[in-house]
Amino acid sequence: MGGVSDMQTLQRTGSLELEVKDWKVNRIYRVVAFDHDMLSFAEKRFGEWPLVVITNPKAARFMAPKHEPLGKIQHSTHIRLLVFSPNKIVSVTVFINEEQVGQAEHVEGPLYVLPWKPNNFAEGMHNMKVIAKVIYTFLI
């Protein structure tokens, strides 16, 4: 069945419309987080780990300038991530534009942070990638 894979749009009112992909067949779920009054989310297939939600900086394609204080990003001091896994997380590495910028430090719970200088990324669009490594333990 050929459907629309990304059903996400910014409405004329400035609100985001974000439809979850597919729970019934593919078991896709969404984790939503608010960080300094800005909405972030990540989708994952049930049972796949780890799950990473980048909460700061917010993804450009999901910015809602009429409803979120986006100016806070340019004054932020840290990249903030929520990393979830039932297994031990051993490292969380952040890349911007394919260049490694550092290892995020665990604060508490699922929160990891990495200092950054948002002014270095004020111009143009940038790509952030996060690699979370976990240890899987199997009983044999």
Side-chain angles (χ1 to χ4, degrees):
M1 177 180 265
V4 178
S5 63
D6 280 339
M7 297 186 300
Q8 304 154 346
T9 187
L10 184 63
Q11 297 293 336
R12 281 180 271 158
T13 61
S15 298
L16 289 169
E17 182 176 336
L18 305 167
E19 190 152 332
V20 176
K21 291 181 181 174
D22 178 26
W23 173 255
K24 183 178 180 182
V25 176
N26 294 309
R27 295 295 190 238
I28 303 294
Y29 68 97
R30 176 178 292 153
V31 172
V32 177
F34 284 92
D35 183 345
H36 290 83
D37 298 322
M38 290 180 275
L39 173 81
S40 297
F41 68 94
E43 294 176 344
K44 195 77 162 178
R45 183 180 307 277
F46 184 75
E48 291 182 358
W49 301 99
L51 173 93
V52 176
V53 181
I54 301 169
T55 66
N56 187 67
K58 181 181 171 91
R61 70 184 267 204
F62 299 117
M63 289 183 174
K66 290 183 180 178
H67 300 289
E68 297 177 312
L70 300 174
K72 289 183 176 183
I73 296 171
Q74 67 190 19
H75 301 292
S76 66
T77 59
H78 289 77
I79 293 169
R80 291 186 294 277
L81 318 156
L82 300 176
V83 183
F84 300 92
S85 178
N87 301 296
K88 180 176 175 54
I89 299 166
V90 293
S91 68
V92 177
T93 309
V94 178
F95 298 81
I96 298 179
N97 301 329
E98 301 299 323
E99 184 177 323
Q100 183 175 333
V101 293
Q103 298 286 323
E105 293 184 23
H106 183 237
V107 177
E108 67 176 309
L111 179 61
Y112 286 76
V113 299
L114 176 67
W116 83 314
K117 294 185 174 149
N119 291 337
N120 293 348
F121 305 97
E123 298 295 321
M125 299 293 286
H126 303 278
N127 181 38
M128 181 178 289
K129 177 172 70 173
V130 178
I131 297 177
K133 292 185 181 177
V134 298
I135 293 176
Y136 289 95
T137 304
F138 299 96
L139 299 175
I140 54 173

